[in-house]
Amino acid sequence: MNQTEILQRVFGYSQFRPGQEELIDGMLNGRDAFGIMPTGGGKSMCYQIPALLLPGITLVVSPLISLMRDQVMALKAAGAPAAYINSTLNRAQMQAVYRNLLAGQYKIVYIAPERLDYPGFSGVAERLQISMVAVDEAHCISQWGQDFRPSYLRIVNFIQQLPYRPVVSAFTATATTQVRQDVERILGLRDPVRVVTGFDRPNLYFEVLRPESKDRELLRLLSTRKGKSGIVYCATRKKVESVCQILQDHGYGAACYHAGLPDEERTQSQGDFLYDRKPIMVATNAFGMGIDKSNVSFVIHYNMPKSIEAYYQEAGRAGRDGTDADCILLYSGSDVYTARFLIDNASENEELDEAQREIIRRQDLERLDAMVGYCKTDTCLRGYLLEYFGQKHPDICGNCGNCTGNYETVEITREAQMILSCVKRIRDKLGYSVGMNMVGNVLRGRGDKRVTETGLEQLSTFGLLRNRPKSQVHAMIEHLQAEGYLLEDSQYHSLQLTALASQVLYQGKQVFMKVKFEPVSVLPGVTAQKLTAEESELLDELKELRGKLAKEAGIPAYVVFSNATLQDMAKKKPKTMSQFKKVSGVGEIKAAWYGTAFLKLIQRFRDAH
Ligand code: ADP
Ligand code: MG
Ligand code: ZN
């Protein structure tokens, strides 16, 4: 079989995604390979297909041991001989894996990096024909990456002590030059085939909301997504727990995950989510690396993350099967303070000296600024993200909150003048500047303690924006910041006028702002595969059958077939086994295992309609 046949017969996909074929060709010709593709871009396929075609076995180094089981399960479900080696196996299981390895029963073996130099394993490795070492989440080898893992450095030693050098391939979704260079240099890649694919994920809808109450907004967002699977990311452990509680109180099946929970609880939560026992996962950023649950249909950020890199990776866990999915960020100004606090109090990396730490801190603050810019921009959100990753893009994507007709442009010149003059008058009166909250309180006529103590309620601008909601006043202040009329001091968070402000104050320059006029945040995406009412009905039945088969086999539903596959099935309504195999995501093995059951259901459905 050649690579296309494997793609079609084993994995059931009709064509390669961008970059896959080139990388696979390289590895099959004995070259090293380095694939940089966005989350959900299909990196696993890039090493799994050569693994099945090369002689001997492929070792896949992967950082997240809890997820190896799932990946191996998915491979086995497709009929590919695979196994994993990590600390979750007991002695007897480990011995069995070693025995089978030596008997040549596996083509793909996932291994945790710290296992590579265990004596037990090195003894076995010496006697194996290792054709390739594939390093997944390769950015873990770099200190500049988000998730530096010192144990990744062992990969190099392991490769060096093999009797001959296998093909080495590396895969990551982190695009920065520094990380790329580190990966190539430290892993010692030899003239690799390099593929950097576009970072766009057209099926993801992006939106930033600025709700009065995040809890209420979250509940509203979830109420229109009943039964769908999604992740809610929060900045702190405490938030994770309180948000999870609120969701449970409102009857949602929500699991909770953060680094402070005991191991068993985390494993339990993860399983509940992966197996769809609980559709919603509330978690800190500790959750998700290596998660490839393909039916995640939304990722909501309750708090703004620290960087665009982090955001894109977390949000990118939605819609991995290519169906429409939503990435919604609930922003508030206080998120910026939390993020700054987390940066300033980051756990100290022992291996770094004071100067290096300061460099990293400054880098983190720059990354944070870019993230804040995303929350405040009123241009295309996708465009903003792609720009950040250095990729060309059209001005308007048509599938983000800022591009869809959900917003209208309003003139806020008068309000802008009020705000700017209020900032000026406060400074004139006090001799120093204050932050957004206080400016907002004065404008909204809130005589709180600090306002009355400083006599600010006597200003002529006091109460000028009396009946406006706080979120709206803050949004306007932030807009003036984004437009360069106001400058926020990065240390004290106080607001000052810039030179540009006088154009608005004294020269009648108009100010425009995009505002949302409808509380509808989800619009059908541009890539929607529209189903008729009848097809949706069939889809529900297909899902039910999938659930039943998954339960019987003790595997998560998406390992049987992804949502995208079931949608395609509902559209194509195959009558014969050969038609069934033409459904996207149906390979030989799955067709053999599940074909009859699904064909029967579809036939029954046809007869009834
Ligand atoms: P990542 O690049 O983030 O590691 P994965 O390898 O987990 O992405 O792939 C994401 C999803 O895309 C999986 O469900 C996978 O089966 C699917 N996929 C990969 N390659 C193809 C393809 N050529 N056609 C259709 N789906 C694909
Ligand atoms: Mg992956
Ligand atoms: Zn857009």
Side-chain angles (χ1 to χ4, degrees):
M1 269 202 272
N2 66 22
Q3 45 167 302
T4 313
E5 283 165 348
I6 298 263
L7 179 79
Q8 293 169 347
R9 293 223 209 137
V10 177
F11 297 102
Y13 295 126
S14 55
Q15 48 188 347
F16 283 106
R17 292 229 183 111
Q20 287 180 329
E21 204 165 12
E22 202 184 333
L23 286 161
I24 294 170
D25 267 336
M27 290 174 255
L28 291 178
N29 287 316
R31 283 185 67 183
D32 284 358
F34 188 12
I36 300 164
M37 298 175 170
T39 306
K43 291 185 283 292
S44 327
M45 206 64 75
C46 295
Y47 55 78
Q48 287 169 349
I49 290 177
L52 295 178
L53 288 170
L54 289 168
I57 70 157
T58 289
L59 284 184
V60 181
V61 183
S62 165
L64 228 83
I65 56 175
S66 45
L67 288 156
M68 290 182 185
R69 224 184 81 233
D70 296 306
Q71 306 202 339
V72 166
M73 191 164 52
L75 281 168
K76 282 187 178 160
Y84 61 89
I85 298 175
N86 64 35
S87 54
T88 64
L89 299 182
N90 63 30
R91 228 185 128 72
Q93 291 170 319
M94 193 82 82
Q95 295 304 335
V97 171
Y98 288 165
R99 241 190 341 268
N100 293 338
L101 250 178
L102 290 168
Q105 295 200 1
Y106 304 128
K107 294 300 289 177
I108 307 178
V109 175
Y110 282 78
I111 185 162
E114 62 276 4
R115 289 272 145 178
L116 288 169
D117 52 9
Y118 268 42
F121 180 70
S122 345
V124 173
E126 271 165 24
R127 294 152 63 196
L128 294 175
Q129 188 192 357
I130 298 172
S131 304
M132 176 160 81
V133 174
V135 183
D136 205 1
E137 313 284 355
H139 57 278
C140 291
I141 207 166
S142 167
Q143 295 205 8
W144 301 103
Q146 309 270 318
D147 323 276
F148 176 51
R149 306 259 164 143
S151 59
Y152 257 57
L153 298 168
R154 299 183 191 185
I155 301 170
V156 191
N157 305 339
F158 174 79
I159 293 172
Q160 280 167 353
Q161 50 100 77
L162 288 173
Y164 53 90
R165 188 178 180 282
V167 170
V168 180
S169 57
F171 302 89
T172 176
T174 302
T176 60
T177 355
Q178 234 155 0
V179 172
R180 271 190 232 180
Q181 286 170 353
D182 270 9
V183 171
E184 293 204 14
R185 185 178 50 82
I186 302 174
L187 270 182
L189 296 183
R190 295 185 187 165
D191 181 31
V193 183
R194 289 185 198 87
V195 170
V196 185
T197 59
F199 269 64
D200 191 16
R201 299 270 312 276
N203 62 317
L204 298 186
Y205 169 86
F206 290 96
E207 178 158 34
V208 177
L209 297 173
R210 197 190 289 266
E212 283 283 319
S213 152
K214 289 192 180 183
D215 290 344
R216 241 183 296 132
E217 183 65 22
L218 179 62
L219 289 170
R220 189 185 71 72
L221 290 169
L222 293 181
S223 69
T224 60
R225 290 172 174 76
K226 290 252 162 74
K228 289 193 172 170
S229 182
I231 307 174
V232 178
Y233 277 110
C234 303
T236 61
R237 297 173 185 184
K238 235 175 90 189
K239 237 334 150 249
V240 166
E241 286 176 2
S242 70
V243 168
C244 196
Q245 190 61 54
I246 291 172
L247 298 191
Q248 286 169 354
D249 291 346
H250 282 77
Y252 288 98
C256 152
Y257 189 106
H258 60 68
L261 294 173
D263 274 354
E264 317 86 77
E265 245 176 86
R266 268 187 295 169
T267 312
Q268 172 74 33
S269 285
Q270 187 160 301
D272 285 346
F273 179 63
L274 291 181
Y275 286 76
D276 292 315
R277 291 188 290 262
K278 293 185 177 165
I280 301 170
M281 173 62 97
V282 186
T284 60
N285 61 7
F287 174 77
M289 205 195 343
I291 286 280
D292 57 7
K293 188 175 200 289
S294 69
N295 66 338
V296 174
S297 97
F298 59 87
V299 171
I300 297 175
H301 278 76
Y302 189 97
N303 299 108
M304 179 188 71
K306 287 190 304 183
S307 66
I308 298 277
E309 283 94 339
Y311 181 64
Y312 207 57
Q313 191 148 53
E314 287 158 17
R317 291 184 182 123
R320 290 174 74 122
D321 61 4
T323 53
D324 286 340
D326 303 318
C327 308
I328 300 172
L329 196 160
L330 306 183
Y331 172 77
S332 80
S334 63
D335 288 338
V336 185
Y337 303 118
T338 313
R340 281 215 187 103
F341 178 85
L342 291 175
I343 289 173
D344 286 336
N345 296 280
S347 60
E348 297 205 333
N349 188 334
E350 306 278 304
E351 292 159 60
L352 304 177
D353 62 32
E354 194 52 44
Q356 285 172 315
R357 266 183 225 146
E358 182 52 27
I359 294 174
I360 289 183
R361 204 183 72 89
R362 236 178 282 145
Q363 272 180 349
D364 283 349
L365 287 174
E366 265 170 43
R367 289 199 181 125
L368 176 61
D369 275 348
M371 185 71 242
V372 175
Y374 174 81
C375 298
K376 292 185 178 173
T377 186
D378 49 22
T379 62
C380 174
L381 292 170
R382 185 185 314 279
Y384 187 100
L385 294 167
L386 294 176
E387 186 85 32
Y388 183 84
F389 293 117
Q391 193 178 319
K392 283 211 177 71
H393 57 86
D395 286 342
I396 292 173
C397 76
N399 190 29
C400 79
N402 288 357
C403 283
T404 52
N406 244 359
Y407 285 77
E408 61 184 345
T409 303
V410 293
E411 197 198 326
I412 57 157
T413 311
R414 240 170 51 85
E415 289 86 346
Q417 288 168 344
M418 292 172 183
I419 292 168
L420 295 175
S421 90
C422 185
V423 169
K424 181 174 181 307
R425 277 160 212 268
I426 292 177
R427 195 190 156 93
D428 289 349
K429 179 154 177 97
L430 302 179
Y432 57 87
S433 307
V434 300
M436 178 161 76
N437 262 323
M438 186 112 155
V439 174
N441 281 344
V442 172
L443 282 161
R444 291 169 59 241
R446 295 291 150 115
D448 77 350
K449 198 151 156 270
R450 255 186 88 199
V451 171
T452 42
E453 271 172 15
T454 44
L456 291 181
E457 86 263 47
Q458 273 128 47
L459 290 183
S460 57
T461 48
F462 184 80
L464 277 181
L465 293 173
R466 199 174 289 276
N467 297 314
R468 305 292 185 93
K470 180 168 151 192
S471 60
Q472 197 187 85
V473 174
H474 282 199
M476 288 191 288
I477 294 176
E478 287 182 339
H479 179 73
L480 292 176
Q481 241 179 288
E483 296 285 291
Y485 299 116
L486 283 175
L487 192 68
E488 192 193 49
D489 179 288
S490 67
Q491 198 175 356
Y492 302 106
H493 315 304
S494 57
L495 294 169
Q496 287 163 38
L497 300 189
T498 65
L500 274 183
S502 60
Q503 296 182 1
V504 176
L505 278 173
Y506 312 117
Q507 290 157 33
K509 181 163 196 259
Q510 290 177 298
V511 182
F512 296 93
M513 178 173 145
K514 265 190 183 165
V515 294
K516 195 146 199 214
F517 61 85
E518 228 187 345
V520 176
S521 58
V522 190
L523 287 173
V526 282
T527 57
Q529 196 183 11
K530 291 252 166 5
L531 295 183
T532 63
E534 195 178 296
E535 286 163 351
S536 312
E537 199 183 314
L538 174 57
L539 179 63
D540 288 340
E541 292 191 22
L542 294 173
K543 284 186 175 167
E544 207 172 297
L545 175 59
R546 172 180 70 176
K548 206 180 111 224
L549 295 171
K551 204 156 180 194
E552 282 168 12
I555 55 180
Y558 66 89
V559 172
V560 175
F561 286 128
S562 72
N563 284 350
T565 297
L566 293 190
Q567 276 187 23
D568 199 42
M569 205 180 291
K571 270 231 156 307
K572 293 199 173 119
K573 295 188 212 45
K575 284 184 180 148
T576 62
M577 191 55 93
S578 70
Q579 288 174 356
F580 189 72
K581 286 183 196 161
K582 296 219 171 74
V583 173
S584 170
V586 179
E588 301 276 343
I589 297 280
K590 288 195 184 178
W593 282 1
Y594 308 123
T596 320
F598 280 94
L599 283 171
K600 243 197 220 152
L601 189 158
I602 295 166
Q603 189 54 52
R604 235 189 309 115
F605 187 86
R606 278 178 183 280
D607 293 345
H609 289 76

